[in-house]
Amino acid sequence: MYQAGYLKHFTEEVFLAIGCSPEDAQLAAKVLVSADLRGVDSHGIARLAGYVRLYDHGRLNPTPDIKVVYETPSTAVVDGDQGLGLVVAPKAMEVAMEKAANVGSGWVSVRNSNHFGIAGYHAMLALEKDMIGWTMTNAAPLVTPTFSLDKLLGTNPIAVAVPASEEPAFVADFASTAVAYGKFEILQRKGLPAPLGWAQDAEGNATTDSNAVKSGGGLLPLGSDREHGSHKGYGLGAIVDIFSGVLSGANFGPWVPPFATAGFMSAQEGVGLGTGHFLGAMRVDGFRPAEDFKKDMDKWIRAFRGARAVEGQKVIIPGDPEREMEADREVNGISLLEPVVLSLEELASRFNIPFEKNI
């Protein structure tokens, strides 16, 4: 068990060691550890060694010149200069929110970036300004579209954060696949099989092998198969890829470069620049008075939370599990699997940074 503050400090020191500025190292550490706090362990500090591997292979610029390369009053394209997506995405969201403040909404497509952590973090930045936040990103091709044997899409998540008044915000943050690849990494570390419906093998058959993607298989879109709506997950993933990659000039489809933890994949020659994101901010008072909207959001949330539930269950609002997990882990600490601890110890040894159990 480790305290979040301890992990943030260690992560910041690692990013400083590869050459990030103090400001960027602090921001990147905050974004990364926020995933662990919210219970999204697949996108938290377990990924730290992966970012260092990107740096080792010349795919990560620790001192990027992040800039707007094209814009209108409500839109922009941001070039991340191969920087940490953990830094590029929040800065692009600032551009989107500034445009929203001026004209009602702001939409930013990002190219030349890298893996940006949990999508929800960036969408939630808009909540402080009474805005609705949108975030998407494309990712390495691990996903087989419906009826395909070829991997053409990433897990391509979507996050939407909506403010409320007295109730906690509505925060939907989900992959367009049955699960994110990080869930397979967790199963691999534990030596466990995967549930049916998460992946297919190289021949297109359903499988419980948590290493199936490494053996020529692929992740399945949300819905798993055609009879259960996989074409809808495929459609969502395609939308994210087009908005994030084609619209910005980033790589898209099978050309999106792999993240370091998916190192079994060989990167193809690209058609664009790096990984792509898409971020948006909408001013609530661009539609109606913000307080009126937020009070109605309270009513919406309470209606759904108060719905009759099947025995032993309760109806939850998107964002509830993560918020409850964050409240617990802020106090009781974050549990890390042994393979993750070992990877952190290796980084500590390499960069001569102290690392020890905090609880």
Side-chain angles (χ1 to χ4, degrees), residues 294-306:
K294 291 195 293 183
K295 287 177 181 177
D296 279 351
M297 276 303 300
D298 283 349
K299 294 175 184 176
W300 189 97
I301 290 168
R302 288 164 184 161
F304 279 73
R305 190 173 282 134

Side-chain angles (χ1 to χ4, degrees), residues 53 141-142 151 181 184-189 199-202 207 209-219 259-266:
R53 284 196 290 273
L142 299 173
K151 295 186 282 288
Y181 183 72
F184 282 87
E185 293 173 329
I186 291 171
L187 292 175
Q188 290 162 14
R189 294 184 193 113
Q200 67 181 29
D201 64 20
T207 180
D209 181 4
S210 59
N211 290 289
V213 181
K214 293 182 177 180
S215 305
L219 299 184
F259 185 62
T261 53
F264 56 88
M265 297 172 51
S266 57

Side-chain angles (χ1 to χ4, degrees), residues 189 335-345:
R189 294 184 193 113
S335 176
L336 299 181
L337 295 174
E338 184 179 3
V340 176
V341 174
L342 291 174
S343 74
L344 300 180
E345 289 175 343

Side-chain angles (χ1 to χ4, degrees), residues 37-52:
L37 280 171
R38 292 177 66 78
V40 191
D41 298 340
S42 58
H43 283 58
I45 200 167
R47 298 268 186 180
L48 182 57
Y51 292 108
V52 174

Side-chain angles (χ1 to χ4, degrees), residues 321-336:
E322 294 88 350
R323 178 176 49 83
E324 293 168 4
M325 181 67 76
E326 185 170 13
D328 175 77
R329 289 187 168 185
E330 282 278 15
V331 175
N332 298 314
I334 297 166
S335 176
L336 299 181

Side-chain angles (χ1 to χ4, degrees), residues 32-356:
L32 198 63
V33 177
S34 73
D36 292 299
L37 280 171
R38 292 177 66 78
V40 191
D41 298 340
S42 58
H43 283 58
I45 200 167
R47 298 268 186 180
L48 182 57
Y51 292 108
V52 174
R53 284 196 290 273
L54 287 180
Y55 167 77
D56 288 340
H57 285 85
R59 289 180 46 204
L60 174 65
N61 178 5
T63 56
D65 179 17
I66 302 167
K67 59 186 177 183
V68 173
V69 293
Y70 180 86
E71 66 180 324
T72 72
S74 63
T75 65
V77 173
V78 166
D79 189 297
D81 195 25
Q82 289 190 296
L84 280 164
L86 303 167
V87 172
V88 175
K91 292 187 176 182
M93 192 59 168
E94 291 292 337
V95 175
M97 291 189 294
E98 182 179 349
K99 289 183 176 295
N102 291 332
V103 298
S105 67
W107 305 96
V108 177
S109 200
V110 179
R111 70 188 189 198
N112 210 10
S113 186
N114 280 292
H115 190 277
F116 76 0
I118 59 169
Y121 177 92
H122 315 299
M124 290 171 66
L125 292 174
L127 297 175
E128 305 167 7
K129 301 180 182 293
D130 278 347
M131 295 181 184
I132 296 171
W134 295 70
T135 315
M136 310 176 192
T137 185
N138 65 11
L142 299 173
V143 183
T144 51
T146 303
F147 302 135
S148 175
L149 292 177
D150 294 326
K151 295 186 282 288
L152 298 173
L153 289 171
T155 53
N156 295 7
I158 301 169
V160 179
V162 184
S165 182
E166 296 177 1
E167 296 291 338
F170 172 104
V171 183
D173 182 358
F174 56 93
S176 54
T177 47
V179 292
Y181 183 72
K183 297 291 176 63
F184 282 87
E185 293 173 329
I186 291 171
L187 292 175
Q188 290 162 14
R189 294 184 193 113
K190 294 181 176 180
L192 296 175
L196 273 176
W198 283 17
Q200 67 181 29
D201 64 20
E203 286 73 44
N205 302 308
T207 180
T208 60
D209 181 4
S210 59
N211 290 289
V213 181
K214 293 182 177 180
S215 305
L219 299 184
L220 291 172
L222 187 63
S224 299
D225 56 37
R226 179 63 175 80
E227 288 69 28
H228 294 92
S230 67
H231 57 294
K232 298 176 183 179
Y234 168 28
L236 285 172
I239 289 168
V240 172
D241 195 40
I242 292 167
F243 280 31
S244 300
V246 183
L247 195 58
S248 68
N251 288 297
F252 50 82
W255 295 282
V256 179
F259 185 62
T261 53
F264 56 88
M265 297 172 51
S266 57
Q268 301 187 49
E269 183 177 349
V271 293
L273 296 173
T275 298
H277 319 313
F278 186 79
L279 307 98
M282 302 162 57
R283 247 174 51 194
V284 169
D285 66 3
F287 298 86
R288 58 184 300 207
E291 286 306 313
D292 292 348
F293 169 82
K294 291 195 293 183
K295 287 177 181 177
D296 279 351
M297 276 303 300
D298 283 349
K299 294 175 184 176
W300 189 97
I301 290 168
R302 288 164 184 161
F304 279 73
R305 190 173 282 134
R308 292 182 302 124
V310 299
E311 186 175 354
Q313 300 294 332
K314 64 177 181 178
V315 179
I316 61 174
I317 305 302
D320 279 354
E322 294 88 350
R323 178 176 49 83
E324 293 168 4
M325 181 67 76
E326 185 170 13
D328 175 77
R329 289 187 168 185
E330 282 278 15
V331 175
N332 298 314
I334 297 166
S335 176
L336 299 181
L337 295 174
E338 184 179 3
V340 176
V341 174
L342 291 174
S343 74
L344 300 180
E345 289 175 343
E346 289 175 4
L347 292 174
S349 175
R350 170 177 170 178
F351 296 117
N352 195 27
I353 301 169
F355 183 77
E356 55 191 46

